[in-house]
């Protein structure tokens, strides 16, 4: 969640104007998702849309800096500091095997039923038993293994 | 020793391994012989004694739901039942069926403080006994064992490990579609829906047991007469005995019948039979089921056949056969 900007805050680094529209779009979507009614949804299900938008926005900034190299280091650091992107998640994406990771909680082995295991969404589709429908309770991920 | 006043002193159950029937770990789909179980100490309260106990959870395999233990090992040992399905460990039959066939008395109290006291005492017994087991009732006798073996199913009942039926699907508004982990089926109307874990444990009002006992009774020709006013059971081929002997035998083999619930007993010495009038119809049905499961009643060391009394022709249906035990007895004796 980005910080609120007032007249006293420092202006954003150069190049921000170019991506401001996209970020504003994400913010609008996020607001809609937050205000959406939770009626008829399961307990776990209600946060999924929020997780999804947060993931998409992090992905957008990650791509801009690391893949497409369109923004400066300065702007990237500023965006991270303002929490436009999830720094922990991006840190994982840089590692091999975690390129598509959905959320950091899904690789937190301590939260799982069995010692040292991860979320079901981390299991490659080829290894899953036939007929298993994956929809992880943390973020609604349907599979984020790098091999898929 | 009196029961503990403080709930914190009542204690808890802790165990290393659950007491289960085989079928709870199987799916019948060529399943993996190895199971991974998780153990959680003080996981939840026992559904019978309300004390915290060690909960075990496992998934039997493909096409089945996650299962967990519902009652503590103490409660399970007391009755000799599975911690999950509450069926008898040896025969896989409901407690009510087993107890009816063996003529066992339900000794476990179900009220709060009595229950605590009872469990406290039995736990002490278990500590002292060499095999760590206590059965509040004696071992099954051989005849009873044979009977139960006949009633028990030979193959494991895999179907009970399936997921539960989706309640939203039944209402017609399940939005999860293929993702739904529950079963999308319309439940069958077979009267087995209303089951209660407490009743199953104590062996009363168990619809499954009623079905099994009813089937056994029907096989042995003990179909309850359609006339609801009949509450009489007829004992045929009695040895020389008094009505006190019959009363004792009745209470001994049907422990749920208390002495004042036997309305009257009329003996017909000449034709070696007796008419036992019970106080109401449900009790009579239960006694008939239990006695047919035991294949008769033992009076003075002799097995005696039991059949239902007949409704009296000519008389008004409102008038219970039991009300005129003596007169009715005479008339029916000739028929029988």
């Amino acid at each position: 969640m980005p910080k609120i900007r007032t007249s006293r805050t420092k202006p954003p680094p150069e190049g921000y104007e170019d991506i401001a529209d996209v970020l504003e779009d994400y913010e609008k979507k996020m607001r809609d998702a937050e205000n959406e009614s939770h009626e008829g949804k399961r307990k776990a299900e209600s946060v999924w849309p929020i997780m999804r938008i947060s993931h998409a926005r992090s992905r957008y900034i990650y791509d801009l800096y690391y893949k497409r190299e369109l923004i400066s280091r300065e702007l990237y650091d500023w965006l991270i500091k303002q929490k436009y992107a999830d720094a922990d998640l991006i840190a994982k994406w840089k590692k091999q095997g975690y390129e598509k990771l959905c959320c950091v909680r899904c690789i937190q082995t301590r939260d799982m039923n069995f010692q040292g295991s991860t979320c079901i969404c981390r299991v490659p589709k080829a290894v899953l038993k036939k007929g298993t429908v994956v929809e992880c309770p943390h973020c609604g991920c349907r599979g984020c293994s790098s091999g898929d | 020793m009196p029961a503990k006043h403080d709930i914190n002193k009542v204690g808890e159950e802790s165990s290393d391994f659950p007491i289960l029937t085989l079928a709870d770990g199987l799916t019948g789909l060529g399943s993996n012989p190895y199971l991974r179980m998780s153990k959680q100490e003080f996981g939840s309260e026992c559904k019978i004694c309300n004390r915290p106990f060690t909960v075990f959870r496992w998934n039997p395999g493909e096409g089945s739901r996650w299962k967990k233990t519902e009652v503590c090992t103490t409660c399970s040992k007391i009755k000799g039942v599975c911690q999950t399905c509450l069926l008898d460990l040896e025969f896989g039959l409901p407690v009510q069926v087993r107890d009816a066939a063996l003529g066992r008395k339900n000794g476990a109290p179900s009220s709060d403080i009595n229950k605590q006291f009872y469990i406290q005492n039995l736990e002490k017994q278990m500590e002292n006994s060499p095999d760590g087991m206590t059965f509040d009732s004696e071992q099954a006798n051989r005849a009873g064992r044979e009977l139960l073996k006949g009633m028990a199913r030979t193959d494991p009942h895999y179907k009970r490990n399936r997921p539960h039926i989706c309640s939203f699907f039944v209402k017609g508004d399940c939005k999860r579609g293929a993702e739904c982990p529950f079963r999308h089926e319309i439940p069958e109307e077979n009267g087995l829906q209303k089951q209660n874990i407490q009743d199953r444990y104590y062996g009363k009002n168990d619809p499954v047991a009623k079905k099994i006992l009813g089937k056994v009774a029907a096989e042995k020709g003990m179909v309850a007469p359609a006339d609801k006013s009949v509450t009489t059971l007829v004992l045929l081929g009695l040895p020389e005995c008094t009505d006190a002997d019959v009363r004792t035998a009745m209470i001994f083999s049907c422990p749920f019948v208390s002495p004042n619930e036997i309305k009257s007993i009329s003996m017909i010495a000449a034709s070696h039979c007796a008419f036992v009038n019970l106080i109401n119809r449900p009790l009579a049905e239960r006694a008939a089921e239990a006695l047919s499961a035991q294949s008769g009643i033992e009076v003075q060391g002799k097995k005696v056949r039991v059949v239902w009394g007949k409704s009296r022709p000519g008389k008004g249906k409102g008038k219970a056969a039991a009300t005129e035990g003596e007169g009715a007895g005479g008339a029916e004796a000739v028929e029988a």
Side-chain angles (χ1 to χ4, degrees):
Chain A
M1 180 69 199
K3 281 180 187 160
I4 295 165
R5 262 174 287 139
T6 63
S7 56
R8 284 191 300 162
T9 46
K10 265 201 278 178
E14 220 168 282
Y16 174 74
E17 296 78 41
D18 303 337
I19 58 168
D21 283 351
V22 181
L23 292 180
E24 206 165 287
D25 261 11
Y26 276 125
E27 205 164 328
K28 245 185 230 161
K29 268 192 210 159
M30 184 66 109
R31 198 148 297 156
D32 289 347
E34 281 167 0
N35 293 332
E36 204 178 301
S37 159
H38 57 80
E39 218 139 282
K41 281 185 183 170
R42 279 175 295 135
K43 214 173 173 183
E45 217 174 2
S46 55
V47 291
W48 291 354
I50 294 168
M51 299 290 282
R52 190 166 299 141
I53 293 165
S54 155
H55 175 94
R57 187 167 57 185
S58 295
R59 196 83 201 176
Y60 173 66
I61 291 167
Y62 169 80
D63 279 348
L64 278 183
Y65 183 68
Y66 287 102
K67 294 282 149 77
R68 292 152 71 192
E69 296 176 352
L70 288 175
I71 59 173
S72 63
R73 177 83 210 181
E74 199 191 7
L75 176 57
Y76 174 74
D77 284 344
W78 184 83
L79 287 169
I80 296 282
K81 204 181 164 203
Q82 298 289 320
K83 298 192 175 158
Y84 279 100
D86 185 350
D88 298 328
L89 193 55
I90 291 182
K92 289 289 163 213
W93 285 340
K94 288 190 278 189
K95 289 171 73 180
Q96 194 184 12
Y98 294 90
E99 290 92 346
K100 288 183 190 166
L101 182 64
C102 56
C103 70
V104 202
R105 199 178 160 195
C106 286
I107 50 165
Q108 185 82 349
T109 52
R110 272 178 306 181
D111 292 351
M112 305 301 158
N113 277 341
F114 293 107
Q115 199 80 49
S117 70
T118 52
C119 185
I120 184 81
C121 67
R122 300 291 302 149
V123 180
K125 290 248 158 61
V127 181
L128 275 175
K129 269 189 211 131
K130 241 184 214 161
T132 320
V133 184
V134 175
E135 204 171 36
C136 93
H138 306 135
C139 54
C141 175
R142 291 172 158 278
C144 57
S145 163
S146 300
D148 292 343
Chain B
M1 203 169 66
K4 300 278 192 292
H5 286 298
D6 188 352
I7 189 74
N8 293 319
K9 286 184 186 155
V10 170
E12 80 292 325
E13 174 265 5
S14 75
S15 65
D16 292 327
F17 205 77
I19 301 172
L20 298 171
T21 52
L22 180 67
D24 283 306
L26 298 174
T27 57
L29 298 164
S31 50
N32 191 345
Y34 301 103
L35 267 185
R36 192 161 62 155
M37 259 187 201
S38 76
K39 173 184 166 188
Q40 189 186 15
E41 270 163 12
F42 314 113
S44 72
E45 72 169 15
C46 167
K47 295 248 167 81
I48 303 299
C49 68
N50 305 107
R51 296 178 311 157
F53 78 110
T54 311
V55 176
F56 292 88
R57 275 168 233 274
W58 70 97
N59 190 347
E62 208 176 321
S64 53
R65 66 172 192 273
W66 278 80
K67 305 213 75 180
K68 72 178 186 69
T69 52
E70 307 284 355
V71 303
C72 68
T73 41
T74 313
C75 289
S76 125
K77 278 181 198 165
I78 288 171
K79 282 276 176 187
V81 291
C82 167
Q83 271 188 279
T84 298
C85 60
L86 295 185
L87 298 176
D88 182 68
L89 285 170
E90 202 174 340
F91 305 105
L93 287 167
V95 176
Q96 193 177 337
V97 174
R98 181 193 70 187
D99 288 359
L102 302 179
R104 264 186 197 168
K105 196 170 167 55
N106 173 17
S110 51
S111 74
D112 184 36
I113 198 79
N114 286 342
K115 201 163 62 179
Q116 274 184 35
F117 180 67
Y118 178 75
I119 285 175
Q120 182 184 307
N121 285 350
L122 278 181
E123 213 159 46
K124 207 177 229 174
Q125 269 183 35
M126 278 180 218
E127 264 173 36
N128 297 335
S129 78
D131 56 351
M133 290 294 272
T134 174
F135 242 43
D136 73 337
S137 32
E138 67 287 356
Q139 283 292 312
N141 56 26
R142 254 188 79 182
R145 196 178 288 271
E146 286 304 313
L147 268 168
L148 285 171
K149 259 189 199 149
M151 274 190 255
R153 50 189 309 148
T154 44
D155 52 326
H157 190 34
Y158 302 119
K159 272 189 177 175
R160 68 164 184 248
N161 289 345
R162 287 182 307 176
H164 289 304
I165 287 177
C166 178
S167 62
F168 289 88
F169 177 77
V170 174
K171 279 187 275 173
D173 60 349
C174 181
K175 291 180 198 131
R176 299 179 72 179
E179 276 100 59
C180 189
F182 297 95
R183 208 141 43 93
H184 279 190
E185 266 174 35
I186 297 294
E188 307 169 44
E189 289 298 332
N190 52 7
L192 301 182
Q193 272 77 41
K194 283 221 166 98
Q195 295 189 30
N196 174 332
I197 210 158
Q198 299 259 351
D199 285 353
R200 285 181 54 210
Y201 181 81
Y202 291 116
K204 54 186 183 193
N205 307 330
D206 184 349
V208 180
K210 197 162 171 57
K211 191 181 157 196
I212 296 174
L213 288 174
K215 214 160 94 187
V216 171
E219 273 170 15
K220 299 218 166 114
M222 282 280 278
V223 183
D227 183 358
K228 289 283 177 201
S229 62
V230 177
T231 58
T232 312
L233 296 177
V234 187
L235 276 51
L236 300 170
L238 279 175
E240 284 292 308
C241 63
T242 61
D243 61 350
D245 293 328
V246 174
R247 193 178 287 268
T248 318
M250 194 72 193
I251 291 160
F252 183 76
S253 46
C254 306
F256 50 87
V257 178
S258 67
N260 58 357
E261 282 172 329
I262 300 177
K263 210 167 189 179
S264 65
I265 293 177
S266 49
M267 304 280 297
I268 315 293
S271 49
H272 300 289
C273 65
F275 294 83
V276 181
N277 296 313
L278 291 158
I279 200 156
N280 56 28
R281 172 71 174 214
L283 187 77
E285 279 179 13
R286 210 173 151 193
E289 280 164 1
L291 290 176
S292 65
Q294 293 169 34
S295 65
I297 183 170
E298 203 163 301
V299 183
Q300 299 226 320
K302 186 173 180 261
K303 258 298 191 236
V304 173
R305 209 158 73 88
V306 182
V307 293
W308 273 98
K310 284 185 187 143
S311 60
R312 302 179 58 218
K315 289 266 174 177
K317 280 203 172 155
K319 214 159 196 195
T323 51
E324 297 172 19
E326 255 77 13
E332 279 170 88
V334 181
E335 282 177 49

